[in-house]
C-alpha cells in the first residue's frame, strides 16, 4: 500500500481532502543537485544507469515535496530502442543524425524486444520503487506515437515540425506504418513498466496541438487510443496533449483515467469539453513560476477553486523551465498542500 495515495485516489475519481500535486519534468532540469550530476554524466548515461536515474527521480520528492515521482528517463529512449540513432546535444537538445524520410527507411525500423533493449528502464523502476519505500506513487511515461514520429522524421526539435508533417501528408502509408511500429513498441514498453512496478503511466503528446483537429484524429489520437486500450485495465493512464483541447471530448471517452490540459484552455472550458466527469490535470503556465512566491500561491489557490478539489491533479500545463528558482517550485507545491476547500 502506498502511504500518500492522493494521486491514485484522484485517478479513480475518489474524493480527497486536497488535490495531489506533481510537476511535469520535475525530475531534473531546475534542481541544483541535478545540475551537478549533469556536469559529470552525459544524458543517456544518466538514463541508463539505474542508480543515477533513481537518485534524480527521488530528488523532487525530498526537496520540493511533490505527491508523486516520475521516473527520470526520456521519451526518445523508445526510438533509440527501435534502432533509430538519437543523440542529446548539450545546448541543442535531441539530435537524430539519420532522420526518417522514406518508406524504405520505415521498413528498416525495428520493433524491438523491449526486455532486451529497455531493460535498463525496468531496472531503474525497481530500484526507484525500493528507494521510494511506498511513500508516494511512481509514474512511468512514454511519448505519443505522433510526438515520437515528429523527432524521428524532423531529426531535431522544431516549432512547426514541418518535415514531419510533410512526410505524413506526402507518404501517408509509410507514415502510418511507422506510427504503428512505434505504437506496438510503446505498448510492450509500457506493459514492461507496469510489470516493473510503476503505479500510473502518462502519455506525452507534446506536439499533438500542431495538427488540425482532423489530422489529429488520423495521425495521433487513433494510436493514443490503441495504447490506452491496451493498458487501461492494468493501470491508470493519464493522457496529456499540449494544445489538444479540441480533442478533449474523444479523450474523455477513451478509458484514460485523467486528461492533461495546458494553460491556454480555462478550467471551465476543459471541464465543459471533457464532459465534467473525468479527472483533469494541469494547467499552470510554467512561465508563471517566474512570479513571486506569494503571487504563485494566490494563482494556485484560484486554479484549484476553478477546477474543484476533486477529480483534479494540480500540475503545470507543460514541463517546468530549467531556470525556475527552487523556492518558486516549492511555493507552487506548498500552495496546493495548504489548500482549504471553501
Ligand atoms: O520529470 C522529468 O523530467 C522526467 C524525465 C523526462 C525527461 N524528458 C528528461 C529530460 C521526461 C518526462 C521527458 C519527456 C520528454 N522528452 C518530452 C515530453 C514532455 C515535454 O516536455 O513535452 C519531450 C518532447 C522530450 C524530448 C526532449 N528531451 C527534448 C525536447 C529535450 C531537450 C530540451 C529539454 O531540456 O527538455 C530533451 C532532453 C531532456 N530530457 C533533458 C531532461 C532532464 C535535458 C537534457 C539533459 O538533462 O542533459
Amino acid at each position: 500500500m502506498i502511504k500518500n495515495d492522493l494521486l491514485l485516489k484522484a485517478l479513480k475519481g475518489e474524493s480527497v481532502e486536497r488535490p495531489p500535486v506533481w510537476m511535469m519534468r520535475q525530475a531534473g532540469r531546475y534542481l541544483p543537485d541535478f545540475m551537478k550530476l549533469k556536469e559529470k554524466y552525459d544524458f543517456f548515461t544518466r538514463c541508463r544507469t539505474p542508480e543515477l536515474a533513481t537518485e534524480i527521480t527521488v530528488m523532487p520528492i525530498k526537496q520540493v515535496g511533490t505527491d508523486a515521482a516520475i521516473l527520470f528517463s526520456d521519451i526518445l529512449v523508445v526510438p533509440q530502442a527501435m534502432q533509430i540513432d538519437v543523440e542529446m546535444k548539450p545546448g541543442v537538445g535531441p539530435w537524430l543524425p539519420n532522420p526518417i524520410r522514406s518508406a524504405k527507411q520505415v521498413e528498416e525500423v525495428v520493433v524491438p524486444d523491449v526486455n532486451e533493449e529497455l531493460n535498463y528502464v525496468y531496472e531503474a523502476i525497481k530500484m526507484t520503487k525500493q528507494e521510494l519505500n511506498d511513500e508516494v506513487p511512481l509514474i512511468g511515461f512514454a511519448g505519443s506515437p505522433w510526438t515520437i514520429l515528429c523527432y524521428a522524421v524532423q531529426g531535431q526539435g522544431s516549432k512547426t515540425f514541418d518535415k514531419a508533417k510533410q512526410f505524413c501528408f506526402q507518404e501517408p502509408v509509410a507514415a502510418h506504418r511507422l506510427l504503428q511500429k512505434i505504437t506496438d513498441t510503446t505498448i510492450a514498453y509500457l506493459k514492461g513498466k507496469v510489470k516493473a512496478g510503476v503505479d500510473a503511466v502518462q502519455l506525452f503528446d507534446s506536439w499533438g496541438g500542431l495538427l488540425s483537429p482532423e489530422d489529429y484524429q488520423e495521425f495521433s489520437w487513433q494510436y493514443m487510443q490503441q495504447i490506452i486500450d491496451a493498458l487501461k485495465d492494468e493501470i491508470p493512464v493519464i493522457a496529456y496533449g499540449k494544445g489538444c483541447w479540441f480533442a478533449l471530448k474523444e479523450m474523455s471517452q477513451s478509458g484514460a483515467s485523467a486528461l492533461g490540459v495546458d494553460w491556454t484552455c480555462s478550467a471551465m472550458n476543459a471541464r465543459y469539453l471533457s464532459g465534467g466527469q473525468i479527472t483533469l490535470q494541469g494547467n499552470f503556465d510554467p512561465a508563471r513560476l517566474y512570479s513571486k512566491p506569494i503571487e504563485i500561491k494566490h494563482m494556485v489557490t484560484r486554479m484549484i477553486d476553478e477546477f474543484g478539489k476533486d477529480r483534479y491533479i494540480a500540475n503545470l500545463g507543460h514541463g517546468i523551465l530549467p531556470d525556475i528558482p527552487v523556492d518558486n517550485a516549492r511555493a507552487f507545491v506548498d500552495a496546493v498542500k495548504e489548500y482549504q476547500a471553501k
Side-chain angles (χ1 to χ4, degrees):
M1 276 296 282
I2 293 182
K3 290 169 205 148
N4 177 344
D5 61 353
L6 284 172
L7 178 82
L8 302 176
K9 278 185 165 165
L11 287 169
K12 282 189 220 147
E14 291 174 11
S15 188
V16 284
E17 60 271 29
R18 60 147 177 103
V21 55
W22 66 283
M23 293 180 293
M24 286 194 275
R25 308 297 302 273
Q26 66 183 19
R29 275 203 158 174
Y30 66 104
L31 287 175
D33 287 343
F34 172 74
M35 303 295 180
K36 283 185 211 149
L37 285 179
K38 193 169 162 159
E39 279 164 26
K40 274 209 235 157
Y41 307 98
D42 70 53
F43 182 69
F44 286 112
T45 303
R46 276 173 276 148
C47 290
R48 287 173 175 271
T49 312
E51 289 79 3
L52 291 174
T54 299
E55 186 181 343
I56 299 168
T57 302
V58 301
M59 264 180 206
I61 308 304
K62 292 185 180 158
Q63 299 185 12
V64 191
T66 50
D67 294 312
I70 179 160
L71 186 75
F72 180 78
S73 183
D74 199 82
I75 61 169
L76 298 174
V77 302
V78 167
Q80 220 174 32
M82 300 172 78
Q83 313 298 319
I84 300 170
D85 290 339
V86 181
E87 297 165 19
M88 204 54 80
K89 279 198 180 173
V92 176
W95 175 257
L96 294 81
N98 305 303
I100 293 173
R101 301 283 167 80
S102 70
K104 185 167 169 287
Q105 282 171 293
V106 172
E107 290 318 305
E108 285 160 9
V109 170
V110 175
V111 176
D113 177 346
V114 290
N115 292 320
E116 236 163 69
E117 296 297 326
L118 292 160
N119 188 52
Y120 66 89
V121 180
Y122 304 145
E123 290 305 319
I125 290 169
K126 288 177 202 158
M127 197 175 280
T128 302
K129 281 296 287 182
Q130 267 194 334
E131 183 71 21
L132 287 173
N133 197 24
D134 283 340
E135 291 293 335
V136 294
L138 177 63
I139 302 168
F141 67 90
S144 76
W146 158 251
T147 292
I148 299 297
L149 177 144
C150 279
Y151 288 100
V153 175
Q154 193 82 21
Q156 58 185 311
S158 163
K159 284 204 168 71
T160 57
F161 284 97
D162 52 334
K163 292 189 172 68
K165 284 184 168 181
Q166 184 184 4
F167 183 65
C168 287
F169 301 155
Q170 290 182 340
E171 303 256 13
V173 175
H176 281 296
R177 283 186 71 86
L178 179 57
L179 288 164
Q180 193 60 54
K181 284 187 178 187
I182 300 167
T183 302
D184 295 344
T185 306
T186 302
I187 289 171
Y189 174 51
L190 289 177
K191 283 188 178 252
K193 282 193 173 182
V194 175
K195 224 162 68 189
V198 297
D199 302 290
V201 295
Q202 173 157 322
L203 297 173
F204 282 93
D205 197 4
S206 303
W207 306 122
L210 295 177
L211 294 166
S212 72
E214 204 181 337
D215 289 331
Y216 183 73
Q217 291 300 326
E218 176 174 352
F219 293 101
S220 185
W221 179 249
Q222 60 162 316
Y223 298 98
M224 294 266 283
Q225 181 69 66
Q226 282 188 42
I227 298 170
I228 295 165
D229 282 340
L231 283 145
K232 67 179 186 347
D233 296 333
E234 287 177 37
I235 191 135
V237 180
I238 306 168
Y240 165 77
K242 182 163 183 295
C244 298
W245 56 270
F246 55 80
L248 281 173
K249 185 166 179 226
E250 284 88 339
M251 292 170 126
S252 71
Q253 296 161 351
S254 65
S257 293
L259 307 178
V261 281
D262 70 57
W263 60 98
T264 62
C265 185
S266 68
M268 196 180 76
N269 267 333
R271 285 283 181 216
Y272 172 74
L273 292 166
S274 62
Q277 294 304 312
I278 193 163
T279 298
L280 296 177
Q281 172 178 283
N283 68 344
F284 204 73
D285 178 353
R288 267 296 177 187
L289 290 183
Y290 289 122
S291 296
K292 292 196 190 85
I294 183 81
E295 289 172 30
I296 293 171
K297 287 194 164 187
H298 287 313
M299 286 185 281
V300 169
T301 305
R302 246 190 347 259
M303 175 172 79
I304 304 172
D305 282 340
E306 282 167 17
F307 276 99
K309 81 169 169 66
D310 287 331
R311 293 185 175 144
Y312 177 55
I313 301 162
N315 204 320
L316 307 174
H318 198 194
I320 190 166
L321 298 164
D323 58 351
I324 294 299
V326 178
D327 281 345
N328 295 32
R330 258 188 222 123
F332 178 79
V333 170
D334 287 347
V336 182
K337 293 188 165 176
E338 290 157 10
Y339 184 81
Q340 305 272 341
K342 282 180 190 143

